[in-house]
């Protein structure tokens, strides 16, 4: 094992990502343990950029934004990034000069920008994560860093920030160029100030950070996957995106692989997929991580995995024969009839990889079958879509007619953003620049161009806002009787649910600016449209928090780390005010000990009070995707 992993020892930054639920945290923790054991004289930092991280659950230690040593490995530090705290530090370091630059490139005064720091920023987790990783290496605080990333869709958002930051920096330079031009015009000369120094420093830091992330001798993104069709499809898309972004992929870890046919159904599915992963790796190192008898929690259990990781077998261990299909029996209790109860919106969510998409698809199928006269739409708002994979269909932004009354859709953020730009952002950019019909040439030459550049670049992390706009539109059109959302994993689901408040706050800030400067700006019609947008946002928020119209359905697995995250999500939903009545325990087996409700369900009522536990049994793997969805629907209703 040690010799096989040695090529990774040349790296100083290893970033683990992949589809939700494939074991990224487990493998990243295992990798960090190996580095700490091998490089005892170096400082190894294990950090998570996932807003709903599970480092503490896997390591069995308390983890927060303060780097803490692991008792068993004193040279291993563990940390989970706190984006809001990092933003506060960023504000203290750069806030005044940024406010000065924006003031020079817009109609606002510096004091008008102070509230912006307290608003909820789209992409804040990704932005602070990227800047902090770069800072750690620029300041040489640690020798090596292992990053437990968010699931693949939001990992790509983080990498996409490099382009956004380049554009934003260029816009700030245009703001400063306008200031230089004015100084030369009216004073006859220009003396560089702190803004020039800031721009030069930031440009050097960002350039160095980009080189770091794209240097294959220093950095690698390591893909974690499992041998299931949906994971393979998402892994393929993820690797293609990494190549486009010029982020080096160092190799693949295929997790939870059976080493013998103890479960013939899974074994039969896994073996050919391992060959497909080998082809997908295309010469890069690929490793098999065997299925563990027990959930690996704590340093000792994680260290035991290190010597088990091996290269894939070239041939199946046993001949593969067709297996008889055994369909599970339904286990009460079941879901009620959501349409009869008057629900308009269902949100299906939980930790990545627990089966959210399967449950969402099964609910959609069951409701469409029970109510042929009603219209049902399933919508994926996860940037790493799997809804089409679940049906073995190629879904896109336009709704696809699956049956006469059931449609499926995977939201295309780029299309929504293009429309949002056309409806609001282009004119907002003009307004922020102070551009009017009587603008001087100097205004046309600098500020408007800079603001257009900012608007033209999609801010990674804006997915939640665009998803909200999609849901708002569907609710307003009232063409569907029931909308079922297949959501992103926990951290980004919460960000979606907080987005109505965040967007309303941003619009309120823009209104205050306009009121102060309306005599100069005009644009009464545009502000009227923004007021209507805010009213729509508030209306959508009311639906999300109305238990008669909307409810959340959690999906979990019988694993300690998954249940711990589900419990945190349950409490967060209560605080936000989103109704939840059901929790689906997926891949349930009658012989398993249920962590959340031993025999009498006492623990379940303690951890998830008031929820009905719906058990979805293990479904056969060697069947067509639609057959699995139909079987899941039968078991859930």
């Amino acid at each position: 094992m040690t010799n096989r992993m040695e090529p990774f020892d040349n790296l100083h930054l290893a970033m683990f990502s992949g589809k939700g639920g494939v074991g990224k945290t487990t493998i990243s923790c295992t990798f960090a343990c190996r580095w700490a054991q091998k490089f005892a004289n170096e400082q190894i930092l294990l950090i998570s950029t996932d807003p709903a991280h599970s480092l503490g659950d896997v390591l069995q230690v308390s983890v927060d934004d303060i780097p803490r040593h692991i008792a068993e490995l004193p040279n291993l530090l563990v940390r989970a990034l706190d984006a809001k705290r990092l933003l506060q530090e960023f504000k203290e370091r750069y806030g005044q000069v940024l406010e000065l630059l924006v003031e020079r490139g817009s109609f606002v005064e510096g004091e008008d920008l102070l509230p912006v720091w307290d608003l909820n920023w789209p992409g804040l987790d990704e932005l602070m994560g990227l800047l902090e990783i770069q800072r750690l290496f620029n300041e040489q605080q640690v020798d090596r860093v292992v990053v437990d990333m968010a699931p693949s869709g939001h990992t790509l958002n983080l990498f996409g920030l490099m382009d956004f930051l380049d554009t934003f920096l260029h816009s700030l330079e245009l703001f400063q160029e306008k200031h230089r031009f004015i100084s030369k015009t009216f004073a006859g000369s220009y003396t560089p100030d702190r803004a020039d120094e800031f721009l030069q420093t930031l440009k050097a830091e960002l350039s160095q950070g980009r080189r770091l992330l794209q240097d294959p001798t220093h950095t690698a993104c390591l893909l974690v996957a499992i041998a299931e069709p949906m994971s393979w499809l998402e892994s393929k898309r993820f690797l293609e995106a990494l190549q486009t972004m010029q982020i080096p992929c160092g190799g693949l870890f295929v997790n939870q692989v059976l080493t013998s046919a103890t479960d013939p159904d899974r074994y039969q599915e896994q073996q050919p997929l391992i060959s497909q992963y080998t082809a997908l790796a295309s010469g890069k190192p690929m490793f098999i991580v065997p299925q563990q008898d027990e959930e690996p929690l704590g340093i000792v259990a994680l260290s035991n995995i290190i010597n088990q990781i091996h290269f894939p077998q070239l041939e199946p261990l046993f001949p593969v024969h067709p297996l008889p299909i055994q369909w599970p029996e339904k286990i009460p209790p079941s879901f009620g009839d959501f349409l009869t109860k008057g629900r308009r919106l269902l949100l299906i969510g939980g930790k990545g990889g627990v089966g959210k998409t399967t449950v969402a698809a099964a609910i959609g199928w069951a409701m469409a079958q029970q109510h042929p006269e009603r219209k049902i739409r399933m919508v994926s708002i996860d940037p790493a879509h799997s809804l089409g994979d679940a049906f073995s269909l190629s879904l896109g932004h336009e709704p696809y007619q699956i049956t006469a009354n059931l449609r499926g859709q995977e939201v295309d953020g780029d299309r929504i953003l293009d429309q949002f730009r056309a409806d609001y952002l282009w004119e907002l950019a003009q307004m922020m620049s102070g551009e009017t019909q009587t603008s001087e040439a100097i205004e046309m030459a600098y500020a408007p161009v800079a603001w257009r550049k900012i608007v033209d670049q999609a801010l990674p992390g804006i997915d939640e806002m665009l998803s909200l706009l999609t849901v708002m539109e569907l609710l307003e059109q009232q063409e569907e009787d029931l909308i079922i959302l297949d959501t992103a994993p926990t951290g980004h689901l919460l960000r979606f649910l907080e987005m109505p408040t965040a967007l309303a706050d941003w619009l309120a800030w823009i209104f205050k600016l306009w009121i102060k400067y309306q005599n100069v700006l005009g644009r009464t019609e545009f502000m009227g449209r923004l007021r209507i947008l805010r009213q729509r946002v508030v209306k959508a928020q009311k639906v999300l928090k109305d238990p008669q119209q909307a409810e959340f359905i959690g999906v979990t697995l019988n694993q300690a780390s998954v249940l711990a995250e589900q419990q945190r999500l349950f409490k967060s939903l209560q605080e936000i005010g989103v109704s939840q009545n059901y929790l689906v325990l997926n891949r349930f087996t009658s012989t398993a000990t249920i962590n959340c409700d031993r025999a009498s369900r006492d623990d379940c009522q303690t951890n998830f009070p008031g929820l009905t536990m719906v058990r979805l049994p293990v479904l056969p793997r060697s069947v067509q995707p639609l057959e699995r969805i139909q079987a899941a629907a039968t078991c859930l209703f």
Side-chain angles (χ1 to χ4, degrees):
M1 158 65 182
T2 302
N3 292 333
R4 293 169 183 171
M5 296 284 283
E6 277 185 350
F8 296 138
D9 293 342
N10 295 324
L11 301 175
H12 288 267
L13 175 60
M15 302 178 289
F16 287 84
S17 189
K19 180 176 171 61
V22 297
K24 298 182 302 298
T25 301
T26 298
I27 303 304
S28 60
C29 289
T30 301
F31 191 93
C33 287
R34 179 187 175 276
W35 264 1
Q37 291 168 4
K38 182 163 185 178
F39 303 105
N41 295 323
E42 296 184 5
Q43 285 283 346
I44 313 298
L45 175 64
L46 170 63
I47 62 174
S48 175
T49 62
D50 190 337
H53 69 90
S54 298
L55 285 180
D57 300 328
V58 172
L59 293 169
Q60 298 287 280
V61 297
S62 177
V63 178
D64 55 28
D65 194 37
I66 299 173
R68 301 184 187 278
H69 290 279
I70 297 294
E72 299 91 334
L73 296 168
N75 65 323
L76 177 59
L77 293 163
V78 184
R79 176 185 177 192
L81 297 184
D82 181 341
K84 291 183 179 179
R85 190 185 72 80
L86 289 172
L87 177 64
Q88 183 62 32
E89 291 181 356
F90 185 83
K91 174 187 175 182
E92 292 171 0
R93 184 180 180 188
Y94 296 126
Q96 290 184 346
V97 69
L98 275 172
E99 291 163 12
L100 176 63
L101 281 165
V102 174
E103 182 178 8
R104 288 173 175 177
S106 68
F107 66 89
V108 300
E109 297 175 358
E111 63 182 23
D112 298 322
L113 298 169
L114 291 176
V116 170
W117 296 104
D118 298 322
L119 297 174
N120 194 335
W121 289 26
L124 177 62
D125 298 292
E126 289 86 356
L127 175 61
M128 292 297 110
L130 179 65
L131 293 177
E132 184 65 3
I133 291 169
Q134 293 181 355
R135 185 189 69 82
L136 288 169
F137 278 105
N138 290 344
E139 298 180 4
Q140 298 181 337
Q141 291 194 5
V142 292
D143 298 294
R144 299 169 189 264
V145 177
V146 179
V147 188
D148 176 31
M149 310 284 280
S152 53
H154 292 91
T155 292
L156 294 176
N157 282 346
L158 184 146
F159 292 145
L161 272 166
M162 291 190 298
D163 290 335
F164 174 82
L165 290 173
D166 285 346
T167 299
F168 184 67
L169 180 60
H170 186 215
S171 297
L172 293 179
E173 289 177 324
L174 286 174
F175 294 161
Q176 183 67 357
E177 185 61 30
K178 171 189 170 184
H179 171 69
R180 296 187 192 110
F181 185 89
I182 293 173
S183 297
K184 290 176 182 178
T185 300
F186 293 100
S189 63
Y190 173 72
T191 302
D193 60 13
R194 56 176 176 158
D196 294 284
E197 180 183 355
F198 163 78
L199 290 170
Q200 185 176 1
T201 300
L202 189 59
K203 189 172 184 178
E205 289 180 355
L206 294 179
S207 178
Q208 183 177 353
R210 180 183 281 271
R211 287 196 302 271
L212 179 151
L213 287 174
Q214 295 181 337
D215 180 1
T217 65
H218 183 280
T219 299
C221 184
L222 299 167
L223 174 66
V224 182
I226 55 176
E228 292 183 3
M230 289 172 65
S231 177
W232 186 87
L233 289 166
E234 185 166 322
S235 297
K236 183 175 182 293
R237 293 190 290 265
F238 182 67
L239 289 177
E240 291 170 350
L242 287 183
Q243 187 173 11
T244 300
M245 293 179 165
Q246 298 180 337
I247 301 294
C249 175
L252 282 73
F253 290 78
V254 183
N255 194 20
Q256 302 173 15
V257 175
L258 296 174
T259 55
S260 63
T262 52
D263 181 344
D265 194 30
R266 279 186 65 204
Y267 183 85
Q268 180 172 296
E269 179 183 56
Q270 285 187 348
Q271 288 301 307
L273 279 167
I274 290 172
S275 297
Q276 292 181 42
Y277 274 116
T278 303
L280 188 63
S282 187
K284 296 181 179 66
M286 174 177 153
F287 299 96
I288 298 297
V289 186
Q291 175 75 50
Q292 303 298 299
D293 294 333
E294 295 182 357
E295 188 177 358
L297 302 176
I299 294 295
V300 173
L302 293 167
S303 297
N304 288 335
I305 297 176
I306 295 175
N307 293 324
Q308 299 177 40
I309 300 176
H310 60 271
F311 290 135
Q313 301 288 338
L314 296 179
E315 299 293 336
L317 298 178
F318 295 95
V320 175
H321 300 292
L323 298 172
I325 297 173
Q326 296 183 341
W327 296 104
E329 295 183 1
K330 178 161 60 175
I331 305 170
S334 304
F335 285 140
D337 189 324
F338 297 109
L339 278 167
T340 300
K341 292 179 181 178
R343 302 294 184 265
R344 297 182 60 200
L345 181 66
L346 299 179
L347 301 97
I348 318 301
K351 185 177 175 63
V354 295
K356 301 184 300 293
T357 302
T358 298
V359 172
I363 292 174
W365 182 269
M367 288 290 91
Q369 295 298 306
Q370 290 181 27
H371 298 274
E373 78 288 355
R374 311 288 286 275
K375 293 181 180 179
I376 319 295
R377 187 185 300 196
M378 301 172 297
V379 181
S380 170
I381 59 173
D382 187 341
H385 300 294
S386 295
L387 186 60
D389 298 340
F391 280 95
S392 192
L393 295 172
S394 180
L395 297 183
H397 187 72
E398 296 299 327
Y400 181 92
Q401 204 74 44
I402 299 173
T403 68
N405 67 328
L406 176 64
R407 296 196 287 180
Q409 175 183 4
E410 293 180 341
V411 172
D412 183 341
D414 289 338
R415 288 185 55 174
I416 302 173
L417 183 55
D418 285 343
Q419 187 61 51
F420 194 61
R421 285 192 188 104
D423 290 342
Y424 305 104
L425 293 183
W426 292 126
E427 190 161 356
L428 181 60
Q430 291 177 343
M431 187 180 86
M432 290 302 296
S433 72
E435 179 182 349
T436 65
Q437 293 181 349
T438 60
S439 294
E440 299 292 338
I442 186 174
E443 292 284 354
M444 294 301 295
Y446 297 110
V449 172
W451 284 104
R452 289 185 192 116
K453 283 181 176 292
I454 293 174
V455 168
D456 190 50
Q457 182 75 25
L459 174 61
I462 205 171
D463 305 85
E464 288 77 18
M465 190 189 81
L466 301 178
S467 299
L468 173 65
L469 296 174
T470 300
V471 174
M472 285 166 46
E473 185 176 348
L474 290 173
L475 290 170
E476 289 164 357
Q477 290 173 346
Q478 297 187 338
E479 294 181 358
E480 317 289 344
D481 296 292
L482 178 64
I483 300 164
I484 302 164
L485 298 185
D486 178 27
T487 69
T490 305
H492 296 90
L493 162 66
L494 290 173
R495 209 162 70 177
F496 165 77
L497 293 172
E498 293 166 352
M499 189 50 61
T501 300
L503 188 53
D505 289 344
W506 273 96
L507 290 170
W509 174 70
I510 292 171
F511 293 148
K512 289 180 181 177
L513 285 183
W514 180 79
I515 290 171
K516 182 176 180 179
Y517 298 99
Q518 60 181 307
N519 292 335
V520 176
L521 294 174
R523 302 186 187 277
T524 304
E525 185 273 336
F526 175 58
M527 296 308 297
R529 284 191 284 123
L530 286 182
R531 284 195 180 89
I532 292 173
L533 174 61
R534 191 173 189 276
Q535 291 169 359
R536 294 172 62 202
V537 169
V538 171
K539 187 176 180 180
Q541 187 175 38
K542 288 181 179 178
V543 173
L544 284 169
K545 295 185 177 183
D546 182 353
Q548 299 303 314
Q549 297 190 71
E551 71 175 89
F552 174 82
I553 298 172
V555 185
T556 190
L557 298 177
N558 180 39
Q559 297 175 10
S561 60
V562 179
L563 287 163
E565 181 170 315
Q566 191 66 39
Q567 187 177 356
R568 292 192 292 268
L569 173 59
F570 173 68
K571 292 178 179 178
S572 295
L573 291 171
Q574 288 181 314
E575 294 170 0
I576 294 172
V578 174
S579 172
Q580 180 178 357
N581 299 307
Y582 295 103
L583 179 63
V584 177
L585 180 62
N586 195 15
R587 302 171 198 165
F588 173 78
T589 58
S590 58
T591 58
T593 300
I594 309 171
N595 289 328
C596 65
D597 67 347
R598 302 293 176 184
S600 63
R601 301 191 187 181
D602 290 342
D603 290 343
C604 180
Q605 290 303 314
T606 300
N607 296 330
F608 303 101
L611 298 189
T612 299
M613 178 73 70
V614 178
R615 294 162 178 78
L616 178 58
V618 175
L619 300 172
R621 307 296 311 176
S622 52
V623 296
Q624 294 300 311
L626 183 57
E627 291 179 293
R628 284 176 55 79
I629 291 171
Q630 292 170 332
T634 301
C635 291
L636 291 172
F637 287 87

